[in-house]
PDB file of all heavy atoms in Angstrom:
ATOM      1  N   PHE A  14       5.765  12.576 -11.923  1.00 48.00           N
ATOM      2  CA  PHE A  14       6.122  12.425 -13.332  1.00 48.00           C
ATOM      3  C   PHE A  14       5.081  13.019 -14.251  1.00 48.00           C
ATOM      4  O   PHE A  14       5.405  13.503 -15.318  1.00 48.00           O
ATOM      5  CB  PHE A  14       6.389  10.957 -13.663  1.00 48.00           C
ATOM      6  CG  PHE A  14       7.790  10.569 -13.350  1.00 48.00           C
ATOM      7  CD1 PHE A  14       8.173  10.042 -12.128  1.00 48.00           C
ATOM      8  CD2 PHE A  14       8.773  10.822 -14.319  1.00 48.00           C
ATOM      9  CE1 PHE A  14       9.474   9.725 -11.855  1.00 48.00           C
ATOM     10  CE2 PHE A  14      10.090  10.499 -14.042  1.00 48.00           C
ATOM     11  CZ  PHE A  14      10.451   9.954 -12.801  1.00 48.00           C
ATOM     12  N   LYS A  16       3.687  15.612 -13.764  1.00 51.00           N
ATOM     13  CA  LYS A  16       3.973  17.047 -13.854  1.00 51.00           C
ATOM     14  C   LYS A  16       5.026  17.370 -14.909  1.00 51.00           C
ATOM     15  O   LYS A  16       4.969  18.371 -15.590  1.00 51.00           O
ATOM     16  CB  LYS A  16       4.447  17.563 -12.495  1.00 51.00           C
ATOM     17  CG  LYS A  16       3.310  18.062 -11.623  1.00 51.00           C
ATOM     18  CD  LYS A  16       3.926  18.650 -10.380  1.00 51.00           C
ATOM     19  CE  LYS A  16       2.893  19.310  -9.506  1.00 51.00           C
ATOM     20  NZ  LYS A  16       3.563  19.822  -8.309  1.00 51.00           N
ATOM     21  N   THR A  17       6.053  16.503 -14.996  1.00 55.00           N
ATOM     22  CA  THR A  17       7.098  16.767 -15.980  1.00 55.00           C
ATOM     23  C   THR A  17       6.613  16.325 -17.339  1.00 55.00           C
ATOM     24  O   THR A  17       6.878  15.237 -17.803  1.00 55.00           O
ATOM     25  CB  THR A  17       8.395  16.015 -15.644  1.00 55.00           C
ATOM     26  OG1 THR A  17       8.042  14.642 -15.498  1.00 55.00           O
ATOM     27  CG2 THR A  17       9.037  16.514 -14.400  1.00 55.00           C
ATOM     28  N   THR A  19       6.096  16.535 -21.432  1.00 68.00           N
ATOM     29  CA  THR A  19       6.786  16.906 -22.659  1.00 68.00           C
ATOM     30  C   THR A  19       5.955  18.006 -23.308  1.00 68.00           C
ATOM     31  O   THR A  19       4.723  17.900 -23.341  1.00 68.00           O
ATOM     32  CB  THR A  19       6.852  15.697 -23.609  1.00 68.00           C
ATOM     33  OG1 THR A  19       7.417  14.623 -22.883  1.00 68.00           O
ATOM     34  CG2 THR A  19       7.690  16.011 -24.813  1.00 68.00           C
ATOM     35  N   PRO A  20       6.617  19.064 -23.755  1.00 72.00           N
ATOM     36  CA  PRO A  20       5.837  20.144 -24.381  1.00 72.00           C
ATOM     37  C   PRO A  20       5.096  19.619 -25.590  1.00 72.00           C
ATOM     38  O   PRO A  20       5.547  18.688 -26.253  1.00 72.00           O
ATOM     39  CB  PRO A  20       6.903  21.143 -24.795  1.00 72.00           C
ATOM     40  CG  PRO A  20       8.114  20.796 -24.022  1.00 72.00           C
ATOM     41  CD  PRO A  20       8.037  19.340 -23.743  1.00 72.00           C
ATOM     42  N   LYS A  26       1.961  26.550 -32.956  1.00 92.00           N
ATOM     43  CA  LYS A  26       2.579  27.816 -32.558  1.00 92.00           C
ATOM     44  C   LYS A  26       3.404  28.397 -33.698  1.00 92.00           C
ATOM     45  O   LYS A  26       3.389  29.604 -33.963  1.00 92.00           O
ATOM     46  CB  LYS A  26       3.480  27.601 -31.340  1.00 92.00           C
ATOM     47  CG  LYS A  26       2.693  27.297 -30.072  1.00 92.00           C
ATOM     48  CD  LYS A  26       3.645  27.066 -28.932  1.00 92.00           C
ATOM     49  CE  LYS A  26       2.876  26.801 -27.639  1.00 92.00           C
ATOM     50  NZ  LYS A  26       3.786  26.442 -26.555  1.00 92.00           N
ATOM     51  N   PHE A  34       4.073  36.895 -39.012  1.00 96.00           N
ATOM     52  CA  PHE A  34       5.013  37.520 -39.953  1.00 96.00           C
ATOM     53  C   PHE A  34       4.304  37.966 -41.216  1.00 96.00           C
ATOM     54  O   PHE A  34       4.537  39.052 -41.747  1.00 96.00           O
ATOM     55  CB  PHE A  34       6.137  36.532 -40.316  1.00 96.00           C
ATOM     56  CG  PHE A  34       7.173  36.365 -39.229  1.00 96.00           C
ATOM     57  CD1 PHE A  34       7.749  35.122 -38.960  1.00 96.00           C
ATOM     58  CD2 PHE A  34       7.592  37.456 -38.475  1.00 96.00           C
ATOM     59  CE1 PHE A  34       8.710  34.971 -37.973  1.00 96.00           C
ATOM     60  CE2 PHE A  34       8.552  37.321 -37.487  1.00 96.00           C
ATOM     61  CZ  PHE A  34       9.117  36.072 -37.223  1.00 96.00           C
ATOM     62  N   PHE A  41       3.146  46.053 -44.093  1.00 96.00           N
ATOM     63  CA  PHE A  41       4.194  46.870 -44.707  1.00 96.00           C
ATOM     64  C   PHE A  41       3.899  47.125 -46.170  1.00 96.00           C
ATOM     65  O   PHE A  41       4.087  48.218 -46.681  1.00 96.00           O
ATOM     66  CB  PHE A  41       5.557  46.181 -44.569  1.00 96.00           C
ATOM     67  CG  PHE A  41       6.173  46.347 -43.207  1.00 96.00           C
ATOM     68  CD1 PHE A  41       7.235  45.544 -42.813  1.00 96.00           C
ATOM     69  CD2 PHE A  41       5.706  47.310 -42.317  1.00 96.00           C
ATOM     70  CE1 PHE A  41       7.804  45.692 -41.566  1.00 96.00           C
ATOM     71  CE2 PHE A  41       6.272  47.460 -41.064  1.00 96.00           C
ATOM     72  CZ  PHE A  41       7.328  46.648 -40.687  1.00 96.00           C
ATOM     73  N   MET A  42       3.429  46.064 -46.840  1.00 96.00           N
ATOM     74  CA  MET A  42       3.117  46.244 -48.255  1.00 96.00           C
ATOM     75  C   MET A  42       2.012  47.271 -48.435  1.00 96.00           C
ATOM     76  O   MET A  42       2.050  48.090 -49.348  1.00 96.00           O
ATOM     77  CB  MET A  42       2.712  44.912 -48.879  1.00 96.00           C
ATOM     78  CG  MET A  42       3.906  43.963 -49.051  1.00 96.00           C
ATOM     79  SD  MET A  42       3.431  42.486 -49.942  1.00 96.00           S
ATOM     80  CE  MET A  42       4.792  41.402 -49.593  1.00 96.00           C
ATOM     81  N   GLN A  49       4.194  54.674 -51.941  1.00 93.00           N
ATOM     82  CA  GLN A  49       4.828  54.712 -53.256  1.00 93.00           C
ATOM     83  C   GLN A  49       3.851  54.899 -54.403  1.00 93.00           C
ATOM     84  O   GLN A  49       4.252  55.298 -55.485  1.00 93.00           O
ATOM     85  CB  GLN A  49       5.620  53.424 -53.494  1.00 93.00           C
ATOM     86  CG  GLN A  49       6.729  53.240 -52.465  1.00 93.00           C
ATOM     87  CD  GLN A  49       7.723  52.197 -52.896  1.00 93.00           C
ATOM     88  OE1 GLN A  49       7.551  51.026 -52.649  1.00 93.00           O
ATOM     89  NE2 GLN A  49       8.794  52.632 -53.552  1.00 93.00           N
ATOM     90  N   ARG A  57       7.255  63.000 -52.887  1.00 91.00           N
ATOM     91  CA  ARG A  57       7.991  63.121 -54.145  1.00 91.00           C
ATOM     92  C   ARG A  57       8.297  64.586 -54.417  1.00 91.00           C
ATOM     93  O   ARG A  57       9.398  64.943 -54.815  1.00 91.00           O
ATOM     94  CB  ARG A  57       7.178  62.510 -55.290  1.00 91.00           C
ATOM     95  CG  ARG A  57       7.983  62.353 -56.561  1.00 91.00           C
ATOM     96  CD  ARG A  57       7.137  61.747 -57.661  1.00 91.00           C
ATOM     97  NE  ARG A  57       6.717  60.382 -57.346  1.00 91.00           N
ATOM     98  CZ  ARG A  57       5.619  59.807 -57.821  1.00 91.00           C
ATOM     99  NH1 ARG A  57       4.814  60.483 -58.620  1.00 91.00           N
ATOM    100  NH2 ARG A  57       5.312  58.576 -57.505  1.00 91.00           N
ATOM    101  N   GLN A  63      13.950  69.550 -52.846  1.00 88.00           N
ATOM    102  CA  GLN A  63      15.204  69.598 -52.084  1.00 88.00           C
ATOM    103  C   GLN A  63      16.423  69.347 -52.962  1.00 88.00           C
ATOM    104  O   GLN A  63      17.535  69.673 -52.583  1.00 88.00           O
ATOM    105  CB  GLN A  63      15.186  68.612 -50.923  1.00 88.00           C
ATOM    106  CG  GLN A  63      15.448  67.167 -51.315  1.00 88.00           C
ATOM    107  CD  GLN A  63      15.516  66.247 -50.115  1.00 88.00           C
ATOM    108  OE1 GLN A  63      15.373  66.687 -48.980  1.00 88.00           O
ATOM    109  NE2 GLN A  63      15.746  64.983 -50.347  1.00 88.00           N
ATOM    110  N   ARG A 159      39.602  63.542 -48.888  1.00 78.00           N
ATOM    111  CA  ARG A 159      38.865  63.475 -47.631  1.00 78.00           C
ATOM    112  C   ARG A 159      39.049  64.726 -46.816  1.00 78.00           C
ATOM    113  O   ARG A 159      38.095  65.326 -46.334  1.00 78.00           O
ATOM    114  CB  ARG A 159      39.354  62.255 -46.837  1.00 78.00           C
ATOM    115  CG  ARG A 159      38.199  61.478 -46.254  1.00 78.00           C
ATOM    116  CD  ARG A 159      38.626  60.551 -45.177  1.00 78.00           C
ATOM    117  NE  ARG A 159      37.470  60.293 -44.342  1.00 78.00           N
ATOM    118  CZ  ARG A 159      36.590  59.334 -44.596  1.00 78.00           C
ATOM    119  NH1 ARG A 159      36.735  58.545 -45.624  1.00 78.00           N
ATOM    120  NH2 ARG A 159      35.556  59.160 -43.796  1.00 78.00           N
ATOM    121  N   GLU A 215      19.691  69.144 -60.894  1.00 88.00           N
ATOM    122  CA  GLU A 215      19.527  68.364 -59.669  1.00 88.00           C
ATOM    123  C   GLU A 215      20.829  68.418 -58.912  1.00 88.00           C
ATOM    124  O   GLU A 215      21.872  68.031 -59.428  1.00 88.00           O
ATOM    125  CB  GLU A 215      19.157  66.918 -60.019  1.00 88.00           C
ATOM    126  CG  GLU A 215      17.741  66.779 -60.503  1.00 88.00           C
ATOM    127  CD  GLU A 215      17.345  65.320 -60.660  1.00 88.00           C
ATOM    128  OE1 GLU A 215      17.433  64.591 -59.667  1.00 88.00           O
ATOM    129  OE2 GLU A 215      16.971  64.922 -61.775  1.00 88.00           O
ATOM    130  N   ASN A 217      23.288  67.495 -55.654  1.00 85.00           N
ATOM    131  CA  ASN A 217      23.445  66.505 -54.606  1.00 85.00           C
ATOM    132  C   ASN A 217      23.671  67.240 -53.292  1.00 85.00           C
ATOM    133  O   ASN A 217      23.726  68.468 -53.268  1.00 85.00           O
ATOM    134  CB  ASN A 217      24.573  65.518 -54.926  1.00 85.00           C
ATOM    135  CG  ASN A 217      25.928  66.174 -54.955  1.00 85.00           C
ATOM    136  OD1 ASN A 217      26.151  67.208 -54.319  1.00 85.00           O
ATOM    137  ND2 ASN A 217      26.841  65.603 -55.703  1.00 85.00           N
ATOM    138  N   ASN A 218      23.805  66.520 -52.237  1.00 82.00           N
ATOM    139  CA  ASN A 218      23.928  67.190 -50.938  1.00 82.00           C
ATOM    140  C   ASN A 218      25.393  67.347 -50.535  1.00 82.00           C
ATOM    141  O   ASN A 218      25.704  67.607 -49.391  1.00 82.00           O
ATOM    142  CB  ASN A 218      23.166  66.414 -49.869  1.00 82.00           C
ATOM    143  CG  ASN A 218      22.601  67.326 -48.806  1.00 82.00           C
ATOM    144  OD1 ASN A 218      22.480  68.538 -49.020  1.00 82.00           O
ATOM    145  ND2 ASN A 218      22.273  66.778 -47.655  1.00 82.00           N
ATOM    146  N   PHE A 219      26.280  67.171 -51.519  1.00 78.00           N
ATOM    147  CA  PHE A 219      27.701  67.345 -51.225  1.00 78.00           C
ATOM    148  C   PHE A 219      28.216  68.656 -51.828  1.00 78.00           C
ATOM    149  O   PHE A 219      29.402  68.912 -51.840  1.00 78.00           O
ATOM    150  CB  PHE A 219      28.515  66.188 -51.815  1.00 78.00           C
ATOM    151  CG  PHE A 219      28.141  64.841 -51.280  1.00 78.00           C
ATOM    152  CD1 PHE A 219      27.503  63.912 -52.071  1.00 78.00           C
ATOM    153  CD2 PHE A 219      28.445  64.506 -49.971  1.00 78.00           C
ATOM    154  CE1 PHE A 219      27.168  62.661 -51.574  1.00 78.00           C
ATOM    155  CE2 PHE A 219      28.107  63.259 -49.473  1.00 78.00           C
ATOM    156  CZ  PHE A 219      27.470  62.341 -50.266  1.00 78.00           C
ATOM    157  N   LEU A 225      23.568  62.365 -63.591  1.00 77.00           N
ATOM    158  CA  LEU A 225      22.550  61.826 -64.476  1.00 77.00           C
ATOM    159  C   LEU A 225      21.231  62.559 -64.329  1.00 77.00           C
ATOM    160  O   LEU A 225      20.245  62.211 -64.952  1.00 77.00           O
ATOM    161  CB  LEU A 225      22.361  60.322 -64.196  1.00 77.00           C
ATOM    162  CG  LEU A 225      22.196  59.867 -62.736  1.00 77.00           C
ATOM    163  CD1 LEU A 225      20.776  60.107 -62.256  1.00 77.00           C
ATOM    164  CD2 LEU A 225      22.548  58.398 -62.608  1.00 77.00           C
TER     165      LEU A 225
ATOM    166  N   ARG B  13      14.152   6.147 -13.896  1.00 43.00           N
ATOM    167  CA  ARG B  13      13.583   7.469 -13.649  1.00 43.00           C
ATOM    168  C   ARG B  13      14.111   8.048 -12.356  1.00 43.00           C
ATOM    169  O   ARG B  13      14.431   9.225 -12.264  1.00 43.00           O
ATOM    170  CB  ARG B  13      12.054   7.391 -13.583  1.00 43.00           C
ATOM    171  CG  ARG B  13      11.445   7.359 -14.975  1.00 43.00           C
ATOM    172  CD  ARG B  13      10.013   6.938 -14.868  1.00 43.00           C
ATOM    173  NE  ARG B  13       9.477   6.653 -16.191  1.00 43.00           N
ATOM    174  CZ  ARG B  13       8.458   5.849 -16.408  1.00 43.00           C
ATOM    175  NH1 ARG B  13       7.883   5.240 -15.394  1.00 43.00           N
ATOM    176  NH2 ARG B  13       7.997   5.639 -17.611  1.00 43.00           N
ATOM    177  N   TYR B  82      32.591  60.246 -52.586  1.00 81.00           N
ATOM    178  CA  TYR B  82      32.864  61.534 -51.955  1.00 81.00           C
ATOM    179  C   TYR B  82      33.783  61.403 -50.752  1.00 81.00           C
ATOM    180  O   TYR B  82      34.471  62.338 -50.388  1.00 81.00           O
ATOM    181  CB  TYR B  82      31.562  62.239 -51.560  1.00 81.00           C
ATOM    182  CG  TYR B  82      31.004  63.023 -52.711  1.00 81.00           C
ATOM    183  CD1 TYR B  82      30.014  62.500 -53.522  1.00 81.00           C
ATOM    184  CD2 TYR B  82      31.513  64.277 -53.020  1.00 81.00           C
ATOM    185  CE1 TYR B  82      29.528  63.205 -54.609  1.00 81.00           C
ATOM    186  CE2 TYR B  82      31.034  64.996 -54.102  1.00 81.00           C
ATOM    187  CZ  TYR B  82      30.046  64.457 -54.889  1.00 81.00           C
ATOM    188  OH  TYR B  82      29.583  65.168 -55.959  1.00 81.00           O
ATOM    189  N   GLU B  83      33.775  60.245 -50.109  1.00 79.00           N
ATOM    190  CA  GLU B  83      34.596  60.135 -48.916  1.00 79.00           C
ATOM    191  C   GLU B  83      35.999  59.633 -49.189  1.00 79.00           C
ATOM    192  O   GLU B  83      36.938  60.018 -48.513  1.00 79.00           O
ATOM    193  CB  GLU B  83      33.899  59.231 -47.885  1.00 79.00           C
ATOM    194  CG  GLU B  83      32.844  60.019 -47.123  1.00 79.00           C
ATOM    195  CD  GLU B  83      32.096  59.173 -46.137  1.00 79.00           C
ATOM    196  OE1 GLU B  83      32.614  58.094 -45.784  1.00 79.00           O
ATOM    197  OE2 GLU B  83      31.003  59.580 -45.729  1.00 79.00           O
ATOM    198  N   GLU B 179      13.731  20.162 -21.611  1.00 86.00           N
ATOM    199  CA  GLU B 179      12.483  19.910 -22.334  1.00 86.00           C
ATOM    200  C   GLU B 179      11.380  19.481 -21.392  1.00 86.00           C
ATOM    201  O   GLU B 179      10.248  19.936 -21.490  1.00 86.00           O
ATOM    202  CB  GLU B 179      12.726  18.822 -23.387  1.00 86.00           C
ATOM    203  CG  GLU B 179      11.474  18.466 -24.143  1.00 86.00           C
ATOM    204  CD  GLU B 179      11.748  17.410 -25.205  1.00 86.00           C
ATOM    205  OE1 GLU B 179      12.888  16.923 -25.254  1.00 86.00           O
ATOM    206  OE2 GLU B 179      10.845  17.106 -25.970  1.00 86.00           O
ATOM    207  N   ARG B 180      11.764  18.622 -20.450  1.00 84.00           N
ATOM    208  CA  ARG B 180      10.748  18.085 -19.558  1.00 84.00           C
ATOM    209  C   ARG B 180      10.516  18.948 -18.337  1.00 84.00           C
ATOM    210  O   ARG B 180       9.744  18.590 -17.470  1.00 84.00           O
ATOM    211  CB  ARG B 180      11.149  16.664 -19.125  1.00 84.00           C
ATOM    212  CG  ARG B 180      11.095  15.742 -20.315  1.00 84.00           C
ATOM    213  CD  ARG B 180      11.564  14.359 -20.008  1.00 84.00           C
ATOM    214  NE  ARG B 180      11.645  13.593 -21.246  1.00 84.00           N
ATOM    215  CZ  ARG B 180      10.571  13.122 -21.878  1.00 84.00           C
ATOM    216  NH1 ARG B 180       9.375  13.310 -21.361  1.00 84.00           N
ATOM    217  NH2 ARG B 180      10.686  12.441 -22.992  1.00 84.00           N
ATOM    218  N   ARG B 181      11.216  20.022 -18.239  1.00 84.00           N
ATOM    219  CA  ARG B 181      11.030  20.905 -17.084  1.00 84.00           C
ATOM    220  C   ARG B 181      10.425  22.241 -17.506  1.00 84.00           C
ATOM    221  O   ARG B 181      10.563  23.234 -16.800  1.00 84.00           O
ATOM    222  CB  ARG B 181      12.376  21.163 -16.383  1.00 84.00           C
ATOM    223  CG  ARG B 181      13.192  19.916 -16.130  1.00 84.00           C
ATOM    224  CD  ARG B 181      12.519  18.980 -15.157  1.00 84.00           C
ATOM    225  NE  ARG B 181      12.450  19.566 -13.817  1.00 84.00           N
ATOM    226  CZ  ARG B 181      11.876  18.974 -12.767  1.00 84.00           C
ATOM    227  NH1 ARG B 181      11.323  17.772 -12.921  1.00 84.00           N
ATOM    228  NH2 ARG B 181      11.863  19.536 -11.595  1.00 84.00           N
ATOM    229  N   ASP B 183       7.647  23.308 -17.398  1.00 83.00           N
ATOM    230  CA  ASP B 183       6.655  23.851 -16.472  1.00 83.00           C
ATOM    231  C   ASP B 183       7.308  24.567 -15.309  1.00 83.00           C
ATOM    232  O   ASP B 183       6.643  25.161 -14.476  1.00 83.00           O
ATOM    233  CB  ASP B 183       5.777  22.703 -15.960  1.00 83.00           C
ATOM    234  CG  ASP B 183       6.623  21.654 -15.268  1.00 83.00           C
ATOM    235  OD1 ASP B 183       7.807  21.497 -15.669  1.00 83.00           O
ATOM    236  OD2 ASP B 183       6.129  21.007 -14.338  1.00 83.00           O
ATOM    237  N   PHE B 224       7.995  30.782 -26.021  1.00 92.00           N
ATOM    238  CA  PHE B 224       6.626  30.443 -26.382  1.00 92.00           C
ATOM    239  C   PHE B 224       6.590  29.121 -27.157  1.00 92.00           C
ATOM    240  O   PHE B 224       5.879  28.180 -26.806  1.00 92.00           O
ATOM    241  CB  PHE B 224       6.045  31.593 -27.207  1.00 92.00           C
ATOM    242  CG  PHE B 224       4.746  31.303 -27.881  1.00 92.00           C
ATOM    243  CD1 PHE B 224       3.594  31.086 -27.129  1.00 92.00           C
ATOM    244  CD2 PHE B 224       4.648  31.249 -29.267  1.00 92.00           C
ATOM    245  CE1 PHE B 224       2.390  30.828 -27.754  1.00 92.00           C
ATOM    246  CE2 PHE B 224       3.443  30.999 -29.900  1.00 92.00           C
ATOM    247  CZ  PHE B 224       2.312  30.784 -29.136  1.00 92.00           C
ATOM    248  N   GLN B 277      13.617  61.531 -45.139  1.00 91.00           N
ATOM    249  CA  GLN B 277      14.322  61.324 -46.401  1.00 91.00           C
ATOM    250  C   GLN B 277      14.018  59.928 -46.958  1.00 91.00           C
ATOM    251  O   GLN B 277      13.906  59.747 -48.174  1.00 91.00           O
ATOM    252  CB  GLN B 277      15.830  61.488 -46.206  1.00 91.00           C
ATOM    253  CG  GLN B 277      16.260  62.921 -45.918  1.00 91.00           C
ATOM    254  CD  GLN B 277      15.980  63.868 -47.069  1.00 91.00           C
ATOM    255  OE1 GLN B 277      16.007  63.487 -48.224  1.00 91.00           O
ATOM    256  NE2 GLN B 277      15.669  65.114 -46.759  1.00 91.00           N
ATOM    257  N   ALA B 282      11.301  56.518 -51.008  1.00 93.00           N
ATOM    258  CA  ALA B 282      10.328  55.501 -51.380  1.00 93.00           C
ATOM    259  C   ALA B 282       9.269  56.095 -52.299  1.00 93.00           C
ATOM    260  O   ALA B 282       8.919  55.500 -53.329  1.00 93.00           O
ATOM    261  CB  ALA B 282       9.686  54.912 -50.133  1.00 93.00           C
ATOM    262  N   GLY B 286       8.036  55.418 -56.750  1.00 93.00           N
ATOM    263  CA  GLY B 286       6.773  55.092 -57.406  1.00 93.00           C
ATOM    264  C   GLY B 286       6.561  53.594 -57.488  1.00 93.00           C
ATOM    265  O   GLY B 286       7.035  52.843 -56.638  1.00 93.00           O
ATOM    266  N   ARG B 296      18.278  59.026 -56.254  1.00 91.00           N
ATOM    267  CA  ARG B 296      18.845  60.336 -55.940  1.00 91.00           C
ATOM    268  C   ARG B 296      19.139  60.484 -54.450  1.00 91.00           C
ATOM    269  O   ARG B 296      19.934  61.305 -54.046  1.00 91.00           O
ATOM    270  CB  ARG B 296      17.864  61.438 -56.334  1.00 91.00           C
ATOM    271  CG  ARG B 296      17.408  61.396 -57.770  1.00 91.00           C
ATOM    272  CD  ARG B 296      18.547  61.817 -58.692  1.00 91.00           C
ATOM    273  NE  ARG B 296      18.040  62.209 -60.007  1.00 91.00           N
ATOM    274  CZ  ARG B 296      17.883  61.387 -61.028  1.00 91.00           C
ATOM    275  NH1 ARG B 296      18.202  60.126 -60.897  1.00 91.00           N
ATOM    276  NH2 ARG B 296      17.422  61.819 -62.184  1.00 91.00           N
ATOM    277  N   TYR B 299      22.580  60.605 -52.879  1.00 90.00           N
ATOM    278  CA  TYR B 299      23.495  61.712 -53.134  1.00 90.00           C
ATOM    279  C   TYR B 299      23.592  62.636 -51.929  1.00 90.00           C
ATOM    280  O   TYR B 299      23.370  63.835 -52.013  1.00 90.00           O
ATOM    281  CB  TYR B 299      23.061  62.492 -54.377  1.00 90.00           C
ATOM    282  CG  TYR B 299      23.443  61.785 -55.662  1.00 90.00           C
ATOM    283  CD1 TYR B 299      22.605  60.839 -56.228  1.00 90.00           C
ATOM    284  CD2 TYR B 299      24.665  62.045 -56.288  1.00 90.00           C
ATOM    285  CE1 TYR B 299      22.964  60.170 -57.382  1.00 90.00           C
ATOM    286  CE2 TYR B 299      25.031  61.386 -57.436  1.00 90.00           C
ATOM    287  CZ  TYR B 299      24.175  60.449 -57.987  1.00 90.00           C
ATOM    288  OH  TYR B 299      24.551  59.792 -59.123  1.00 90.00           O
ATOM    289  N   GLY B 300      23.871  62.036 -50.807  1.00 87.00           N
ATOM    290  CA  GLY B 300      24.129  62.843 -49.607  1.00 87.00           C
ATOM    291  C   GLY B 300      22.886  63.245 -48.849  1.00 87.00           C
ATOM    292  O   GLY B 300      22.979  63.910 -47.826  1.00 87.00           O
ATOM    293  N   ALA B 315      13.876  50.954 -52.293  1.00 95.00           N
ATOM    294  CA  ALA B 315      12.499  51.320 -52.630  1.00 95.00           C
ATOM    295  C   ALA B 315      12.471  52.376 -53.721  1.00 95.00           C
ATOM    296  O   ALA B 315      11.594  52.358 -54.582  1.00 95.00           O
ATOM    297  CB  ALA B 315      11.769  51.838 -51.389  1.00 95.00           C
ATOM    298  N   LEU B 320       7.699  50.147 -55.904  1.00 96.00           N
ATOM    299  CA  LEU B 320       6.783  49.324 -55.113  1.00 96.00           C
ATOM    300  C   LEU B 320       6.997  47.846 -55.429  1.00 96.00           C
ATOM    301  O   LEU B 320       6.991  46.990 -54.537  1.00 96.00           O
ATOM    302  CB  LEU B 320       5.345  49.732 -55.434  1.00 96.00           C
ATOM    303  CG  LEU B 320       4.240  49.009 -54.678  1.00 96.00           C
ATOM    304  CD1 LEU B 320       4.338  49.311 -53.192  1.00 96.00           C
ATOM    305  CD2 LEU B 320       2.869  49.427 -55.196  1.00 96.00           C
ATOM    306  N   SER B 323      10.270  46.721 -53.663  1.00 95.00           N
ATOM    307  CA  SER B 323      10.225  46.690 -52.204  1.00 95.00           C
ATOM    308  C   SER B 323       9.262  45.590 -51.716  1.00 95.00           C
ATOM    309  O   SER B 323       9.548  44.906 -50.724  1.00 95.00           O
ATOM    310  CB  SER B 323       9.859  48.063 -51.628  1.00 95.00           C
ATOM    311  OG  SER B 323       8.777  48.624 -52.316  1.00 95.00           O
ATOM    312  N   PHE B 365      12.096  43.233 -40.625  1.00 96.00           N
ATOM    313  CA  PHE B 365      10.860  44.020 -40.515  1.00 96.00           C
ATOM    314  C   PHE B 365      11.053  45.262 -39.658  1.00 96.00           C
ATOM    315  O   PHE B 365      10.477  46.309 -39.935  1.00 96.00           O
ATOM    316  CB  PHE B 365       9.724  43.139 -39.983  1.00 96.00           C
ATOM    317  CG  PHE B 365       9.163  42.208 -41.022  1.00 96.00           C
ATOM    318  CD1 PHE B 365       8.157  41.306 -40.711  1.00 96.00           C
ATOM    319  CD2 PHE B 365       9.633  42.236 -42.332  1.00 96.00           C
ATOM    320  CE1 PHE B 365       7.623  40.452 -41.675  1.00 96.00           C
ATOM    321  CE2 PHE B 365       9.111  41.385 -43.298  1.00 96.00           C
ATOM    322  CZ  PHE B 365       8.115  40.486 -42.968  1.00 96.00           C
TER     323      PHE B 365
END
Side-chain angles (χ1 to χ4, degrees):
Chain A
F14 275 92
K16 269 185 174 179
T17 54
T19 307
K26 290 179 178 174
F34 284 142
F41 281 165
M42 288 186 196
Q49 299 195 273
R57 191 180 295 153
Q63 78 176 0
R159 225 197 157 87
E215 286 188 58
N217 65 25
N218 212 18
F219 300 110
L225 48 80
Chain B
R13 280 166 191 155
Y82 275 97
E83 279 178 19
E179 178 179 5
R180 293 176 187 285
R181 312 295 293 178
D183 59 330
F224 169 66
Q277 291 296 329
R296 305 288 199 270
Y299 282 87
L320 182 64
S323 46
F365 284 178

